[in-house]
Amino acid sequence: MRIPIADVTPETTEAEIIGWVHEVRDLGGLAFYIIRDRTGFLQVTIVKKKAPETVVEATKETSRESVVRVFGTVKATEKAPGGRELIPDTFEIISKAESPLPLDVAEKVPAELDTRLDNRFLDSRRPRINAIFQIRSNITQSINDFLFKEGFVNITTPKVVAAATEGGTELFPIAYFEKEAFLNQSPQLYKQMMMAAGFEKVFEIAPIFRAEEHNTTRHLNEATSIDVEFSFADHNDAMDLVEKIVIQAYESVSNNCENALNTLNVDLKVPENRFPRITYSEAIDIAALGIEEDISYGDDLSTAAERAIGDEMGEHYFITDWPTSIKPYYAMPFEDQPEICKAFDLMHPRMELSSGAQRIHQYDLLVEQIKEKGLSPESFEFYLKPFRYGMPPHAGWGLGMERLIMTMLNLPNIREAVLFPRDRHRLVP
RNA sequence: GCCCAGGUAGUGUAGGGGCCUAUCAUGCAGCCCUGUCACGGCUGCGACACGGAUUCGAAUUCCGUCCUGGGCGCCA
């Protein structure tokens, strides 16, 4: 009966393990086979004069990264990693790995990101890579748990859509029988429609697609968006919620992923306080002091500006009170000051994590704003119709999963936070 | 999209007109080795992205193609 390697302790008497041959150190009359499974490493020690001949034969046949089953007695010893080693009675090759390997799992020699992504299945055998995705899984679970507990309903919205949903970004066109269709850039319109559907609180964690030809360490063409929308709420409620979500994601990882964090050598600091909130206008002033080029009210924040503000803030923060002109049409303008709106961005010092807003729920105002942006209300009829039949006030946000992971773990490249990233050039695997 | 830097054994690299029969590490194969934990020692194997040009001579210079990384823009 196979047991996980982590369960093999110095007190264990005998054990059967199944795992990958991580490393071989053959000293002649004595050989060490380091076996790795999802839970850890175990040294299999073979004294060639004493070991059964079948074991010696099998170890001769095996190769690094082959899958093997080893059964034997466990010996407590200070000389072995973890204070124990396995003295095999049987050693069976279940699946032999070809040689040479496309990359070195044991990390004696580094591999470039491109090589690693081409061989992601092997790359992911490395404990450091595995740890990232253990943590990602935990974040997904904790956010789901949190939102379910808060009474949010999990929804699934279409990724194949007929028209550009909110403008602002390039879409991937696809062939949909005799019609043209697109991969959805965001579930925005659908989650708002669910407010009209009376669901009151909805969320979705799902892929979004952007056809931007960007080439950076913080953009993906297929990303995962954590999307939330809730009724009878304003932008302040939305900010409170996204702040709670981020903090509790940090807490969850900190409490449940100690091994993964150690493997990654990350000393995770859980944000303790509420995130500071500065207005767009204040952000512009900070940026103007910190960067060379001119920046003035009404401009979008450049990368350099974001960085300058991030350096100044030094922690997560919100930018509020954005000019209505540079936010999407569905952001609610302030009643007394319609040139600014109830939109916000949640920023990490390195980059933007989330943007959200109280949404416009009045049909006439929404149509007006759509026209203001140079879009045609006719092409949004499916979206606008619900606003005519009792749309509650509502607010929401979208939070980039990969950016959350990247900033939490201080990963150098957003591709590190995705198993199989889609970027400007990569479509395989 | 614009700009910059690259492409050398399976992997990661050195080498920037002749010292290249191309360096080192790792890997692989063989031999030696009974406490390794980046085991060690010896021997061997394995590469200049592709096409063209310049030159007596090109891994090295130039042009084109393909591929990659990064910065900016756009975007989240």
Side-chain angles (χ1 to χ4, degrees):
Chain A
M1 186 66 179
R2 180 200 183 200
I3 60 169
I5 281 173
D7 290 357
V8 180
T9 68
E11 289 73 43
T12 311
T13 54
E14 56 181 33
E16 177 189 327
I17 59 161
I18 301 178
W20 286 263
V21 178
H22 187 72
E23 264 189 277
V24 177
R25 284 191 279 275
D26 190 339
L27 275 58
L30 178 67
F32 303 105
Y33 286 75
I34 314 300
I35 310 301
R36 180 193 72 245
D37 74 7
R38 152 183 86 79
T39 66
F41 297 95
L42 180 62
Q43 174 170 294
V44 171
T45 302
I46 293 158
V47 179
K48 289 180 189 170
K49 278 183 185 162
K50 292 183 187 166
E53 198 167 322
T54 51
V55 168
V56 176
E57 284 303 309
T59 55
K60 245 186 247 171
E61 275 301 303
T62 197
S63 56
R64 289 161 79 233
E65 294 305 319
S66 290
V67 180
V68 296
R69 183 207 321 267
V70 189
F71 172 79
T73 55
V74 178
K75 199 173 116 193
T77 167
E78 284 308 307
K79 289 185 281 191
R84 84 292 193 229
E85 64 188 357
L86 187 62
I87 312 297
D89 295 329
T90 65
F91 190 112
E92 180 194 346
I93 301 168
I94 290 179
S95 180
K96 189 168 173 177
E98 278 181 30
S99 185
L101 298 162
L103 58 80
D104 177 17
V105 177
E107 296 196 80
K108 283 181 189 166
V109 177
E112 291 196 343
L113 184 59
D114 188 49
T115 307
R116 291 174 40 213
L117 293 176
D118 280 343
N119 301 281
R120 196 55 150 159
F121 71 97
L122 261 188
D123 184 46
S124 301
R125 289 186 193 175
R126 300 154 83 177
R128 280 191 311 124
I129 307 308
N130 188 272
I132 293 169
F133 295 98
Q134 299 285 347
I135 288 169
R136 180 171 170 142
S137 175
N138 181 269
I139 292 171
T140 302
Q141 184 187 357
S142 75
I143 291 174
N144 272 288
D145 287 351
F146 180 88
L147 288 168
F148 282 133
K149 210 169 67 204
E150 294 286 320
F152 281 78
V153 175
N154 181 233
I155 60 168
T156 304
T157 63
K159 303 308 151 204
V160 177
V161 296
T165 56
E166 37 181 315
T169 190
E170 295 294 320
L171 300 180
F172 288 110
I174 59 171
Y176 193 75
F177 304 114
E178 68 282 6
K179 291 178 178 143
E180 187 185 41
F182 300 92
L183 292 176
N184 209 174
Q185 70 185 85
S186 145
Q188 180 63 31
L189 307 188
Y190 290 94
K191 60 181 187 166
Q192 283 192 263
M193 286 160 72
M194 295 317 290
M195 298 300 96
F199 277 49
E200 294 200 19
K201 295 171 154 192
V202 300
F203 80 101
E204 176 173 27
I205 301 177
I208 55 172
F209 303 90
R210 311 278 164 104
E212 300 292 339
E213 292 184 339
H214 32 47
N215 200 329
T216 79
T217 54
R218 60 188 186 283
H219 289 94
L220 292 164
N221 292 292
E222 180 180 10
T224 308
S225 181
I226 303 160
D227 263 281
V228 157
E229 203 72 24
F230 56 131
S231 292
F232 311 111
D234 65 12
H235 55 300
N236 290 312
D237 300 319
M239 281 189 276
D240 289 347
L241 183 63
V242 72
E243 178 179 274
K244 268 189 215 160
I245 291 265
V246 169
I247 291 174
Q248 70 83 35
Y250 271 75
E251 274 169 358
S252 178
V253 170
S254 179
N255 294 337
N256 302 309
C257 302
E258 196 186 333
N259 289 343
L261 289 171
N262 286 340
T263 301
L264 287 166
N265 210 3
V266 169
D267 179 23
L268 192 65
K269 300 258 185 299
V270 178
E272 286 175 8
N273 303 309
R274 302 196 60 193
F275 303 153
R277 299 175 185 195
I278 60 170
T279 64
Y280 166 84
S281 175
E282 289 164 342
I284 290 289
D285 290 345
I286 295 170
L289 293 173
I291 59 173
E292 296 283 315
E293 64 264 33
D294 285 341
I295 183 166
S296 55
Y297 192 93
D299 292 341
D300 238 319
L301 297 177
S302 66
T303 306
E306 270 187 16
R307 205 168 293 136
I309 303 163
D311 286 348
E312 184 66 28
M313 300 303 291
E315 57 176 329
H316 290 89
Y317 64 101
F318 286 104
I319 302 177
T320 66
D321 298 7
W322 287 77
T324 308
S325 60
I326 57 173
K327 279 292 174 186
Y329 57 82
Y330 47 75
M332 177 74 92
F334 280 93
E335 291 79 5
D336 54 347
Q337 214 181 335
E339 63 279 5
I340 59 171
C341 65
K342 299 181 181 178
F344 60 86
D345 281 3
L346 170 61
M347 311 293 295
H348 177 276
R350 284 177 75 189
M351 72 191 77
E352 179 183 340
L353 292 185
S354 168
S355 66
Q358 182 181 341
R359 324 297 191 182
I360 293 173
H361 62 279
Q362 304 95 330
Y363 178 83
D364 292 341
L365 180 56
L366 189 55
V367 169
E368 192 183 302
Q369 289 295 318
I370 287 174
K371 285 182 184 160
E372 191 78 21
K373 297 285 178 191
L375 301 166
S376 122
E378 289 73 37
S379 54
F380 292 94
E381 179 52 25
F382 77 99
Y383 164 68
L384 285 169
K385 193 172 178 183
F387 286 80
R388 302 208 303 263
Y389 300 94
M391 176 64 92
H394 59 281
W397 41 260
L399 170 63
M401 174 70 92
E402 287 81 12
R403 287 188 172 188
L404 178 63
I405 296 164
M406 180 187 183
T407 53
M408 181 185 284
L409 302 179
N410 200 216
L411 303 175
N413 193 313
I414 198 164
R415 295 167 180 83
E416 299 276 6
V418 194
L419 282 171
F420 300 102
R422 289 291 171 265
D423 62 31
R424 177 68 186 81
H425 301 289
R426 180 173 291 278
L427 196 51
V428 175

